[in-house]
Amino acid sequence: MKPVPLKSRPRRLRRLSGLRDMTRETRLSPSQFIAPLFVMHGARVRRPIASMPGQFQLSVDELLREAAIIQGLGIPAVLLFAIPKRKDAAGSEAWAPGGIVQQATRALKKKFPGLVVITDLCFCEYTTHGHCGVLKGGVVDNDATLRLIARTAVAQAKAGADLVAPSGMMDGTVKTIRAALDRARFIDTGILAYAAKYASVFYGPFRDVAGSAPRFGDRRGYQMDPPNAREALREIKTDVAEGADIVMVKPALAYLDVIAAARKAVDVPICAYNVSGEYAMVKAAEKLAWLDGASESRAALEVLTAIKRAGADLIITYHAIEAARRLRRAGA
Ligand code: PBG
């Protein structure tokens, strides 16, 4: 049969794995991953998390083991979340020198000085009511919370955090932290700002792990309304102007358009948070064998590639270890 005359035959470049490899536009590397870890008091604790298979609540000794694996795989950074011993109305373990995140940070930086330690800075894990700041008349008091944010940022920097990551969505957070860190002479401690964080259903598993679900109401009074994209750019530009070193969009999968717009709008690195519910969806579907993929982690790589393709420079993901292992096996 005579060939149909076509100007373009894109299939030519899909024919061989070598051709696909050399024309691939987006590549994943473990060097862009940040591994979130949940740290708690005690010793030899490695408690599995039902809704997040492969994730654990870890005591500091176990955290150090996990960090060795993470570093060995070429993942440069961890993000620490607290499971405190005691909660109170203000969330005072957040800034206590003996607070679990401060203890974990000191231990990590002592054993792995080159590991980038990022500390989540919020109060919902630490407060009895589960909201992200101090309450006044049943709502989170923005400016009173800023004072506690400043204290906590300095406590985390003192413990050795390389980047503090405020996730409470209080107005003026970045400006407040930068001023407090500079005043305390921590000029080299950076800020990874949860700039566009949406009031999302995809935080469900995380809240089970961290015991941080609000006891009443929800977070829609401070986290962003999911339909809004222009507002995300306003938040992101504000945080950059206030001194954020890296800005984040969270969640990732349902907000790829926001990631792409953020990439165009500012020149600082863009981080995307592939959150707990996104992880749980993939794990649940894999368990039910509802996805195409005899081999595990292909879904994770496709998801991470999409986030990268949208414009994220860095990805916080619970898939970090398995994805890094798979990339290593693939020789990437
Ligand atoms: C704390 C915080 C949350 C997450 C990160 N920091 C939960 C929330 O806002 O309720 C969610 C992370 C995840 O789902 O993986 N404010």
Side-chain angles (χ1 to χ4, degrees):
M1 205 179 82
K2 207 172 141 234
V4 179
L6 292 180
K7 275 234 169 59
S8 150
R9 289 192 182 267
R11 283 183 54 180
R12 279 182 199 129
L13 297 183
R14 297 177 196 143
R15 208 167 45 84
L16 295 176
S17 118
L19 285 165
R20 291 192 295 272
D21 200 21
M22 64 199 266
T23 57
R24 189 157 294 137
E25 298 175 30
T26 307
R27 286 175 209 277
L28 284 178
S29 153
S31 64
Q32 299 147 339
F33 298 158
I34 298 169
L37 296 170
F38 300 97
V39 60
M40 62 188 290
H41 295 268
R44 290 183 302 280
V45 186
R46 190 177 175 84
R47 192 182 291 163
I49 298 164
S51 54
M52 298 174 73
Q55 305 300 310
F56 302 87
Q57 296 177 329
L58 302 166
S59 52
V60 174
D61 52 334
E62 289 290 330
L63 182 83
L64 293 173
R65 283 184 205 233
E66 199 76 1
I69 293 169
I70 287 167
Q71 228 188 11
L73 284 166
I75 299 164
V78 296
L79 170 63
L80 298 182
F81 292 100
I83 296 151
K85 197 177 277 169
R86 212 176 44 85
K87 299 179 189 246
D88 58 31
S92 60
E93 193 182 311
W95 62 83
I100 191 61
V101 161
Q102 280 74 270
Q103 284 189 38
T105 302
R106 284 192 295 268
L108 282 171
K109 290 305 291 188
K110 189 165 168 210
K111 187 138 186 219
F112 309 101
L115 180 73
V116 178
V117 175
I118 310 172
T119 48
D120 183 81
L121 201 176
C122 192
F123 301 103
C124 56
E125 303 106 286
Y126 297 98
T127 52
T128 38
H129 46 72
H131 278 286
C132 300
V134 279
L135 296 177
K136 195 167 145 195
V139 295
V140 177
D141 182 335
N142 192 88
D143 296 13
T145 301
L146 287 180
R147 279 195 286 280
L148 303 183
I149 287 174
R151 267 171 98 162
T152 305
V154 171
Q156 293 179 343
K158 231 178 233 165
D162 298 295
L163 298 169
V164 298
S167 63
M169 290 301 278
M170 297 301 127
D171 297 333
T173 294
V174 173
K175 181 180 171 184
T176 302
I177 292 178
R178 190 67 269 157
L181 290 176
D182 288 351
R183 211 180 307 119
R185 303 279 188 273
F186 290 110
I187 56 166
D188 287 329
T189 307
I191 303 172
L192 164 54
Y194 285 70
K197 175 174 177 179
Y198 288 90
S200 168
V201 299
F202 292 109
Y203 308 148
F206 173 96
R207 291 179 186 173
D208 287 341
V209 182
S212 64
R215 295 289 173 272
F216 66 89
D218 53 45
R219 303 207 203 293
R220 283 182 292 185
Y222 39 102
Q223 296 180 347
M224 283 185 55
D225 199 19
N228 294 1
R230 290 193 303 270
E231 187 189 350
L233 296 184
R234 220 152 63 224
E235 285 276 10
I236 285 163
K237 286 176 184 166
T238 303
D239 281 3
V240 171
E242 289 187 7
D245 299 281
I246 303 173
V247 290
M248 192 201 298
V249 174
K250 177 185 172 188
L253 271 189
Y255 299 87
L256 295 176
D257 58 324
V258 178
I259 295 172
R263 174 64 295 161
K264 289 202 184 78
V266 292
D267 293 325
V268 299
I270 304 291
C271 179
Y273 199 143
N274 176 215
V275 300
S276 59
E278 299 173 338
Y279 177 81
M281 282 197 299
V282 169
K283 290 291 158 193
E286 275 177 349
K287 194 167 162 189
L288 293 164
W290 281 0
L291 301 179
D292 171 23
S295 78
E296 285 252 325
S297 346
R298 272 183 55 204
L301 289 195
E302 188 168 332
V303 161
L304 294 171
T305 300
I307 297 169
K308 181 90 196 295
R309 194 185 60 231
D313 301 290
L314 300 167
I315 308 173
I316 301 171
T317 178
Y318 303 96
H319 293 294
I321 291 179
E322 61 163 318
R325 284 196 174 125
R326 194 177 161 98
L327 289 170
R328 174 174 282 189
R329 277 201 306 278

